[in-house]
Amino acid sequence: MSLPSGFRFSQSSLQDFIDCKRRFQLRYLEKLAWPAIESEPALQQEQFLERGRLFHQLAHQYLIGIPADRLNGIITDDQLKTWWERFVEFISIGDEKADIQTHNTQRFPEIALVAPLLEFQLQGKFDLILKTQDDTFIIVDWKTNRVHPKEAYLAQRMQTRVYPFLLVKAGRQFNLGEEIAPEAIRMIYWFTEYPDRPTIFQYNQSLFDADQRYLLSTITTIQTLSSDAFTKTREELHCRFCNYRSLCDRGSEAGIFDEQDMELSTAADIELVIDFEQVAEIEF
């Protein structure tokens, strides 16, 4: 099956392909809307997603200069208020474990980057990029997971591979027009439920080279697969919280929200909507 001209890959679409080739085909190639409930009770899931969306919105507004005092007054949810207070403390003083001093860095919130890859494009939306006084670049990603993921799990997620790679390829605007060295990049996951337990990944040239080989290989594989080669995953745990599960004869009932494992709660984390057609491509 040929990919559409100008197809843009993201960490989400690549993760879908890795988790289940059929899901990738249905969601990104056939663009099939299949509105099955992902988990029960639906109201609890909706509240979880809405709280995460509001947190990202508050964080963005604060980082572009709206005073915390003005934002405090619009928070009516107790859990969101707790997350917000933790965030303000983190962004004000940084994190000793993560070696971040956020008060003396340049901040670039809600940044979208796009770079060519083969004849396609790779895109990413960053919660926050920090540039320190010693020209270290720190990618900070907020996570509202209810369970703290293991470092080994996060290390193999596509977001951990795509975001530092994309910052090297498309981050010249933050570095006086020069490509950012992989060794100058760190990626930090900061958790609203576990503010004192960030997960930190140091990037380097070896990881960049490996990620480039992996991304090129994966995209080439997708490009050359026939329609019937987009097979369903053998890991049926992925299906419990997939809205295509009944279409694929993998069960008609939604998974129980409180039983979602760490992987699926990560996958359910918030990605803010962005129109990438409005983002100019950055050549390399």
Side-chain angles (χ1 to χ4, degrees):
M1 175 178 288
S2 298
L3 287 167
S5 176
F7 187 87
R8 287 184 171 183
F9 287 94
S10 67
Q11 60 95 3
S12 296
S13 62
L14 290 166
Q15 191 67 58
D16 274 338
F17 177 78
I18 292 163
D19 289 344
C20 178
K21 295 180 178 63
R22 178 61 171 158
R23 183 193 295 171
F24 176 91
Q25 182 184 40
L26 292 171
R27 181 170 290 165
Y28 300 100
L29 301 182
E30 297 183 8
K31 300 185 183 300
L32 180 64
W34 195 261
I37 296 173
E38 292 181 359
S39 67
E40 292 282 11
L43 179 58
Q44 189 175 359
Q45 183 198 25
E46 289 174 4
Q47 289 172 338
F48 172 76
L49 294 174
E50 177 64 9
R51 186 179 293 123
R53 185 191 68 79
L54 289 173
F55 171 78
H56 279 74
Q57 186 178 72
L58 286 167
H60 180 219
Q61 290 173 330
Y62 179 80
L63 289 167
I64 63 174
I66 299 177
D69 290 344
R70 287 182 57 188
L71 297 171
N72 290 339
I74 66 175
I75 302 173
T76 58
D77 178 274
D78 288 341
Q79 183 64 67
L80 181 58
K81 183 178 180 181
T82 298
W83 290 356
W84 170 246
E85 291 171 349
R86 292 169 178 171
F87 165 79
V88 172
E89 180 179 5
F90 164 73
I91 211 64
S92 299
I93 65 176
D95 189 289
E96 184 177 347
K97 294 178 182 178
D99 191 26
I100 300 180
Q101 296 181 358
T102 57
H103 60 280
N104 61 357
T105 61
Q106 292 180 262
R107 300 174 182 177
F108 305 99
E110 299 293 338
I111 290 293
L113 297 178
V114 181
L117 198 62
L118 296 175
E119 62 265 47
F120 307 106
Q121 294 175 320
L122 183 66
Q123 66 186 24
K125 177 73 176 295
F126 296 71
D127 287 342
L128 178 64
I129 297 172
L130 298 172
K131 182 180 182 181
T132 69
Q133 292 179 329
D134 64 355
D135 291 333
T136 295
F137 292 84
I138 304 171
I139 301 166
V140 187
D141 193 80
W142 328 123
K143 291 296 183 190
T144 58
N145 302 60
R146 294 171 299 144
V147 178
H148 194 290
K150 294 181 179 179
E151 182 176 332
Y153 168 83
L154 285 172
Q156 53 85 33
R157 297 294 289 179
M158 289 307 302
Q159 185 175 15
T160 307
R161 306 190 72 164
V162 166
Y163 278 30
F165 176 85
L166 187 55
L167 185 56
V168 173
K169 286 295 190 182
R172 286 186 176 90
Q173 59 184 299
F174 311 119
N175 197 37
L176 301 177
E178 298 293 328
E179 185 174 282
I180 299 171
E183 287 79 7
I185 296 173
R186 295 204 311 273
M187 182 163 183
I188 296 175
Y189 291 103
W190 184 83
F191 302 92
T192 54
E193 291 284 3
Y194 307 91
D196 298 325
R197 294 174 58 191
T199 300
I200 308 158
F201 295 99
Q202 175 63 52
Y203 210 48
N204 58 46
Q205 187 67 48
S206 178
L207 288 171
F208 173 83
D209 293 340
D211 289 342
Q212 181 161 254
R213 290 192 299 270
Y214 182 77
L215 290 168
L216 291 173
S217 174
T218 301
I219 291 173
T220 299
T221 298
I222 295 171
Q223 185 182 15
T224 56
L225 282 181
S226 61
S227 296
D228 58 2
F230 286 88
T231 54
K232 292 182 284 187
T233 179
R234 295 181 180 180
E235 297 292 334
E236 294 196 21
L237 180 62
H238 290 309
C239 306
R240 292 185 61 202
F241 301 95
C242 176
N243 58 340
Y244 297 110
R245 65 187 172 278
S246 58
L247 180 66
C248 296
D249 296 320
R250 290 288 176 86
S252 58
E253 294 185 0
I256 303 302
F257 180 79
D258 285 339
E259 295 178 357
Q260 290 191 38
D261 63 75
M262 178 276 303
E263 176 178 357
L264 292 165
S265 62
T266 298
D269 206 0
I270 302 301
E271 276 194 14
L272 299 184
V273 175
I274 179 170
D275 182 2
F276 278 97
E277 298 302 324
Q278 303 302 315
V279 181
E281 178 181 342
I282 300 173
E283 298 290 350
F284 63 89

